[in-house]
Amino acid sequence: MTTVSRPNQDLIRPDKDKFLAEENPFEAMMSRFDYAAQRLSLDPGLYKVLRSPEKQVIVSVPILRDNGDVDVYTGYRVLYNTSRGPAKGGIRFDLNVTLDEVKALAAWMTWKCAVVNIPFGGSKGGVVCDPASMSNVELERVTRRYTSAIIEVLGPDSDVPAPDMNTNERVMAWIMDTYSMHKRHTVTAVVTGKPIEMGGSLGRREATGRGCMLVTRQALARLGLPLKGARVAVQGFGNVGSVTADLLAKEGATIVAVSDKNGGIYNAKGLDVADLLAHVKEHKFLTGYPKGDAITNAELLTIDCDVLVPAAMENVINSKNAGLIRAKIICEGANGPTTANADKILEDKGIYVIPDILANAGGVTVSYFEWVQDRGGYFWDEETVIQRLERIMVRSFDEVAGMADKHKLNLRIGAYMLAIERVAAVHRLRGMYA
Ligand code: NAD
C-alpha cells in the first residue's frame, strides 16, 4: 500500500476553522471529500457545488404529551444532492441530533449511493427528542407531525426516508401512512425499511451485514488471506454486527470477539453466533455470556485478529487508539467509525480499511430494491434479492479497489473519488441552470 502525503488544504477550505474538532462529523466527511476532490482535480465551480447541501429544512414539531402538556421539538431534513435521482437517507430521533451532523450524514448518503451506483442522491433527517422518554402514542404523534412538516420535500421521486437511530419499521409505517393520507392514495415507495406486509423487501434486515460479509470476503481474497479460519472481532451486536458475524461464521471465519454497549466477550477458539444471539434474546445484552472471557470495548478494538468490524457507532477508532490496532483488515459496518486523523495512522501501519461508504452500502442497496419493487408493484423472492445484492457489492468493491490502485491510494479515498466522479459527471451532463 502506498502512503501519500496530504496536500495543504488551506487553499480549498475557506471555512476550515469552524470544523477543526476531530469528531465533528461534517469535518470527518469534508476532509476526505477535499482530498479526493483535489486528487481528481475537480474544477473549482463543481467543487463549490458538491460541498454545499442543496436544501436544508428546519421545522418545529409541536406535540401533545400524554399528560396534556405541549412540547415543541426541532426537526431537520437535509437534501445534500439529488443530481443522480431522488434523495435517500434515514431519519433519526435523538437528543444529540444537530444540523451539522444531519448535513454530514446526508453528504455521506450521496457518496454511498454513488459508490454502489444506484440512482439516488443523499439526504438525512432527524428530530431532536428523547424517544426513550416517550410513550408509543407520543412517538407516533412526533413522527406524523414531522412528516407533515417536511411533506413538500418527501416523495418517491424527490426524497425517500429510511430508519436510522431510534427509528424502525413501525416509524416507517406511520410515515408512509401520513404521506399517503395527505396524497389521498397509498404511496408505498415514499419510505423504505417498511414492514414486509406493506411493501418492505425480503432480505432488507440482513442486507447491511450481508454487504459487510461480501466486501470482507473480497478484501481477504485480494490480500491473499483465507476466509476459512480468519479471526474476526465485531464491535456492536445489533442488526449490522450480529448479521455480519453470523454470515462470516457461516463462510468459515472464526468469530473471536463480539461486544455491545455494555462490553464484550472473547474466545480465541471461536464463539457460536447462534448461541450468542439466543443469550441476547433472553438477557438483552452479552453480559454474563458464559462461553468466553469478558473484555471491554476498548480491548476488543485492539485484540489480535485478522478482521475488525466496528459496527456500533462513530469515532471509535481515533488518533488515540489507531496505533494500537492489530487487525489486518477493518470493515466499517458503522457509519463514520474512523476519524480522519486515524486514517493516516492506519495507512502507515498497512491496515486495509474497507470504508463505510462501501462496506455498509448493502443496506441502501436493498432499500433501492424495495423502492423498485414498490414502484413496479412486483415483489422478488429472497434469493433474487441476495443474488442482486451480491452482484452489486462485489462489483462495487472491485471498482473502488480499481480506482484506489490506479491512483495508488487507499480504499477510502478511492471510494470518495469514484463517488465524486460519478456525481460530478451527472452535473456536467445536466449543465448549470444558472
Ligand atoms: P443497532 O441499534 O441494531 O445495534 C447497535 C449495537 O451497537 C448494539 O449492540 C449496541 O449495544 C451497540 N453499541 C451501542 N453503543 C455502543 C458503544 N458505545 N460501544 C460498543 N457497542 C455499542 O444498530 P445497527 O442498525 O446495527 O447500526 C449500527 C451502525 O451501523 C450505526 O453506525 C448505523 O448508522 C450503521 N448502519 C446501519 C445500517 C442498517 O441497515 N441497520 C446501514 C448502514 C449503516
Side-chain angles (χ1 to χ4, degrees):
M1 203 170 309
T2 312
T3 303
V4 289
S5 61
R6 280 152 199 275
N8 184 348
Q9 296 181 357
D10 288 344
L11 297 175
I12 206 162
R13 284 288 305 281
D15 57 352
K16 183 168 155 275
D17 290 348
K18 268 173 40 193
F19 300 114
L20 279 182
E22 181 177 359
E23 296 192 352
N24 180 300
F26 198 69
E27 163 62 15
M29 191 279 297
M30 283 317 290
S31 62
R32 278 80 171 242
F33 169 84
D34 282 354
Y35 185 59
Q38 285 188 338
R39 294 294 303 226
L40 279 171
S41 304
L42 190 68
D43 71 80
L46 257 182
Y47 171 79
K48 282 189 245 170
V49 172
L50 295 189
R51 71 182 302 286
S52 318
E54 229 170 74
K55 191 176 284 187
Q56 303 176 60
V57 182
I58 305 176
V59 293
S60 290
V61 184
I63 71 140
L64 190 62
R65 302 299 302 246
D66 292 343
N67 65 5
D69 288 352
V70 170
D71 271 338
V72 181
Y73 303 121
T74 301
Y76 303 108
R77 187 74 183 164
V78 173
L79 275 61
Y80 194 83
N81 188 291
T82 59
S83 57
R84 288 168 46 85
K88 186 87 196 75
I91 289 173
R92 51 177 60 179
F93 290 169
D94 196 75
L95 279 175
N96 294 321
V97 168
T98 64
L99 183 57
D100 239 8
E101 177 189 64
V102 175
K103 269 194 316 194
L105 294 167
W108 254 317
M109 286 304 296
T110 307
W111 315 133
K112 195 182 292 187
C113 293
V115 163
V116 284
N117 213 359
I118 57 178
F120 283 141
S123 59
K124 207 77 180 191
V127 179
V128 188
C129 65
D130 177 16
S133 73
M134 283 182 219
S135 70
N136 217 30
V137 175
E138 289 171 337
L139 202 61
E140 179 173 354
R141 289 193 198 116
V142 170
T143 305
R144 290 187 184 278
R145 186 63 194 243
Y146 170 69
T147 304
S148 74
I150 61 165
I151 205 149
E152 287 88 353
V153 301
L154 296 182
D157 291 314
S158 51
D159 182 25
V160 185
D164 197 79
M165 196 185 289
N166 299 327
T167 59
N168 55 18
E169 60 177 39
R170 172 72 274 187
V171 173
M172 295 307 111
W174 289 327
I175 295 176
M176 186 280 233
D177 182 69
T178 308
Y179 184 85
S180 298
M181 288 294 122
H182 280 256
K183 295 293 162 189
R184 320 302 297 158
H185 62 99
T186 294
V187 187
T188 51
V190 69
V191 282
T192 61
K194 297 181 294 294
I196 303 282
E197 302 87 315
M198 55 182 287
S201 177
L202 293 171
R204 173 63 186 90
R205 198 189 70 77
E206 300 82 7
T208 307
R210 185 173 295 281
C212 288
M213 177 275 285
L214 291 165
V215 292
T216 299
R217 197 184 70 188
Q218 294 306 107
L220 283 162
R222 208 177 157 80
L223 298 184
L225 299 169
L227 175 49
K228 198 162 169 38
R231 293 161 308 146
V232 179
V234 182
Q235 184 189 50
F237 202 61
N239 175 287
V240 180
S242 68
V243 174
T244 306
D246 186 39
L247 295 179
L248 280 170
K250 285 182 176 140
E251 294 285 318
T254 304
I255 310 301
V256 292
V258 295
S259 69
D260 59 29
K261 68 175 167 198
N262 289 348
I265 305 289
Y266 174 76
N267 186 333
K269 294 201 184 81
L271 294 159
D272 178 338
V273 180
D275 201 38
L276 288 165
L277 283 167
H279 179 89
V280 170
K281 197 166 177 198
E282 195 181 337
H283 304 280
K284 209 164 163 217
F285 294 106
L286 292 160
T287 318
Y289 182 74
K291 297 172 199 163
D293 302 323
I295 51 167
T296 64
N297 265 294
E299 286 166 343
L300 179 136
L301 293 171
T302 57
I303 60 168
D304 189 15
C305 63
D306 299 304
V307 181
L308 172 65
V309 185
M313 53 184 295
E314 63 280 2
N315 298 327
V316 291
I317 301 172
N318 47 51
S319 51
K320 294 187 200 85
N321 64 1
L324 304 172
I325 288 176
R326 287 186 276 171
K328 298 184 182 79
I329 293 173
I330 295 176
C331 173
E332 296 186 336
N335 285 316
T338 308
T339 66
N341 289 354
D343 279 354
K344 179 82 174 66
I345 301 169
L346 297 176
E347 186 167 357
D348 288 347
K349 283 173 69 91
I351 297 174
Y352 197 70
V353 180
I354 314 171
D356 46 10
I357 58 173
L358 169 65
N360 69 35
V364 76
T365 302
V366 176
S367 279
Y368 163 57
F369 294 165
E370 180 175 335
W371 176 83
V372 168
Q373 292 169 76
D374 288 341
R375 285 164 72 98
Y378 181 69
F379 289 85
W380 312 346
D381 56 30
E382 192 169 5
E383 206 188 323
T384 304
V385 171
I386 290 173
Q387 275 173 4
R388 290 180 178 173
L389 174 62
E390 176 161 354
R391 215 175 297 150
I392 289 183
M393 293 307 296
V394 169
R395 185 198 67 208
S396 303
F397 179 90
D398 289 346
E399 287 173 345
V400 167
M403 179 64 104
D405 285 354
K406 186 173 148 197
H407 294 273
K408 302 193 174 3
L409 291 163
N410 62 39
L411 284 195
R412 189 185 313 282
I413 300 300
Y416 270 84
M417 287 174 75
L418 187 68
I420 293 168
E421 193 167 86
R422 283 183 174 152
V423 178
V426 174
H427 274 274
R428 285 189 204 101
L429 287 166
R430 289 179 62 153
M432 179 70 64
Y433 183 38

